[in-house]
Every structure is written in structure tokens, then in C-alpha cells.
Amino acid sequence: MIEAPPAPPTPYTAALRGPRHRWWRPLVGATVVAGGLLVLVLLTGVGYGVARLVTDLDGAALDEALFGTWWGLLLSNLVLAAGVPLAWLAVRAGHGREAGLVSSVAGRWRWRWALRVLPPVLAVAVVAALAMAVAEVLTGRPAFGDGTAPAAGRAVALLAVVLLTTPLQAAGEEYFFRGWLSQALGSWCARPVVGAVLAAVVSAVLFGAAHGPQDPWLFTDRLVFALVASWLVHRTGGLEAAVVLHAVNNVVVAVPAVLTGALAQAVAETGAPPVLVVLDVAGMLAAAAAVDARARRRERARR
């Protein structure tokens, strides 16, 4: 008897194209996601409306007040962190596959790998942040906004929320855009390369647009970040490196903003100078190169 050849290895974006895959399964997953997002939007809207009634502030002033408090930042991060269970539910209920496939091709979150990529990503992010701070000073812009430093107790509370929940917020966004959405799009493509490219482009555009009104430079910065994150997912076979890059980037930006009282201003930013975007993109590419080098040395499984 002649044995059948082994099945070809499956890349991350094609992980949902198993024996049970049908063309309509991504639509079921999208319905699950839409329902979950609707619930989140309704709950957020109710909370926002109650806050406006209690504080008697308009939209802009309320946003600044909320993001200037530890509980406002906590609620915002936890709402975004809901992207993780939402992605799990969409894959399980919509595609009939193990929820762990959203984390990596190994079917789980690879903690050791995540910890290995943290040092180089953090080092590059700190250097890039310092370079951008110097550039802002040289161009006459305040390095981290023009806010007033908060009281010690308030600063400690905000920093605790930033350090403890920002990784969850970053994971929620990555699990949603580079996780479920990318795998759902990839499952529609018979050729893995086509699926990977389609997933990267579509998820990047939607990721940038999801951040609301912004000038072309800031949108480009977010678009490039999303493309780099998708590339890391493809190269490493999982979301770990993308989540680390996203979390480190957000923490490195948020910590000085908290210390200078400019957190609300940083969150509501709708524009970015070209020089800062160039420096930020250079930092992203350097971090991605460092992760890729470590992945090749460790022979990180991509399939």
C-alpha cells in the first residue's frame, strides 16, 4: 500500500481552512462579532450618557475628563480588551475550530516566545521615543504635550492602570484585527499567499480607520504599524510578537504622557508631524527586524 503524502504545512492566516471549512463559516463568525460589538457599543453608550448627565460636560471636555482619571482609562482599556474573548468566540462558534488557533498555529499563546521578543522590542521602542522627543523639542513642539503634571496619587493610579491593562488593550486589538479578521479573510482564499496579503491589507485599512478622524500622516503611521504587525504574525506563526510590539509602543507613549498630564491629549490626537511619523516607522521596522532575527535563530515555527 502506498502511503499518502503528508499534508502541506498551514500558515497562520490559513489556519481555519480545515476539513470543516465552508464558504459561509466566516459569515457566521462575522455575525457573532457584530453581535458582540453591538453589545459593547450599547454598554459604552449608556455609560457615556450617564457620565454626561452626572458631569454636565460636552463631548470633548468629557473625553478629557475621563482619560484623565484612572477609572476612565481602565474602562476604556477593558472595553478594547474584549476583542480577545470576542475573537475566541467567533472562531469557536463561527468556524467550529479551537479558539487557541487565534493565538498561534500551535493552538495556544506561546509565553516563552513572547518573553524572548520583549527585550529587543522594548529597547528599540525606548530609543525611538527618545528620538521623537528630541525631534519635537527641535521643531518647537512640546515633547509630551503641554499638560500639567498630576498629583502623586493620581499619577500612581494612572501608571498602574497603564502598566497592568494596556497589554490587555493591545491584545484585544491584535486578536480582533490580526487574529480573527485576518484568519477569516484568509480562509476564503485557496492560495495561502493571496490570503495573507488580503488579510494584511484589509485589516490594516480597517485598523487605521477604527481610530477615528486623523490626518493622512497619522493614518499612514497606523497603517504601517498594522502592516508590520501582520508581517510579524506571518513570520512567527502567531500573535505574540505583534501584541508585544503593540503593548510596548502604547506603554512607552502613555507613561510620559501620564507624568506630564497630557494623557487625554495624547489619546485624542488627530494629527502627527511628518518627522515624527518617519521616526516612528523607522522604530517599527527596526523592532520587526530584531524580532525576525530572533525568530530565525530560534527556528520559530510559522506553520
Side-chain angles (χ1 to χ4, degrees):
M1 173 187 260
I2 300 177
E3 294 184 2
T10 303
Y12 179 85
T13 49
L16 300 183
R17 282 187 65 87
R20 299 180 62 184
H21 172 70
R22 299 293 184 273
W23 67 267
W24 47 265
R25 284 195 174 275
L27 300 179
V28 177
T31 302
V32 172
V33 168
L37 290 178
L38 179 60
V39 171
L40 287 175
V41 169
L42 290 176
L43 291 177
T44 303
V46 170
Y48 199 84
V50 171
R52 290 194 66 174
L53 290 175
V54 172
T55 60
D56 197 28
L57 296 174
D58 60 17
L62 180 58
D63 287 342
E64 184 173 356
L66 287 177
F67 286 108
T69 62
W70 68 267
W71 54 268
L73 180 62
L74 175 64
L75 290 176
S76 173
N77 282 352
L78 292 181
V79 167
L80 293 174
V84 176
L86 191 57
W88 287 339
L89 183 61
V91 168
R92 186 63 180 169
H95 297 266
R97 302 298 303 276
E98 301 83 357
L101 283 176
V102 188
S103 298
S104 74
V105 291
R108 57 181 172 80
W109 176 268
R110 300 168 297 185
W111 281 105
R112 290 184 179 180
W113 171 235
L115 293 176
R116 284 180 184 140
V117 302
L118 178 59
V121 169
L122 181 59
V124 171
V126 170
V127 172
L130 291 175
M132 286 188 285
V134 171
E136 286 191 325
V137 172
L138 293 178
T139 55
R141 287 167 51 92
F144 292 103
D146 53 2
T148 303
R154 182 181 176 189
V156 170
L158 283 169
L159 287 175
V161 172
V162 167
L163 296 176
L164 294 175
T165 66
T166 296
L168 299 178
Q169 167 258 318
E173 294 185 28
E174 292 305 313
Y175 267 77
F176 185 87
F177 288 101
R178 255 67 65 186
W180 165 76
L181 178 59
S182 294
Q183 288 186 326
L185 292 170
S187 70
W188 264 329
C189 301
R191 298 183 60 184
V193 173
V194 175
V197 173
L198 176 66
V201 173
V202 174
S203 65
V205 172
L206 293 179
F207 175 79
H211 285 80
Q214 55 202 296
D215 70 4
W217 283 104
L218 186 55
F219 179 80
T220 299
D221 184 70
R222 287 164 173 160
L223 183 73
V224 172
F225 170 84
L227 292 174
V228 169
S230 288
W231 184 78
L232 285 176
V233 171
H234 175 72
R235 289 289 294 163
T236 64
L239 295 175
E240 298 91 352
V243 171
V244 169
L245 179 64
H246 197 153
V248 167
N249 177 74
N250 287 4
V251 169
V252 168
V253 170
V255 168
V258 167
L259 297 177
T260 58
L263 182 61
Q265 177 184 339
V267 172
E269 193 68 67
T270 59
V275 63
L276 297 187
V277 172
V278 171
L279 290 173
D280 194 34
V281 168
M284 294 179 205
L285 297 178
V291 171
D292 183 60
R294 183 153 294 194
R296 283 187 279 112
R297 286 198 304 269
R298 299 281 181 174
E299 295 185 352
R300 172 57 45 198
R302 292 187 295 148
R303 300 169 183 265

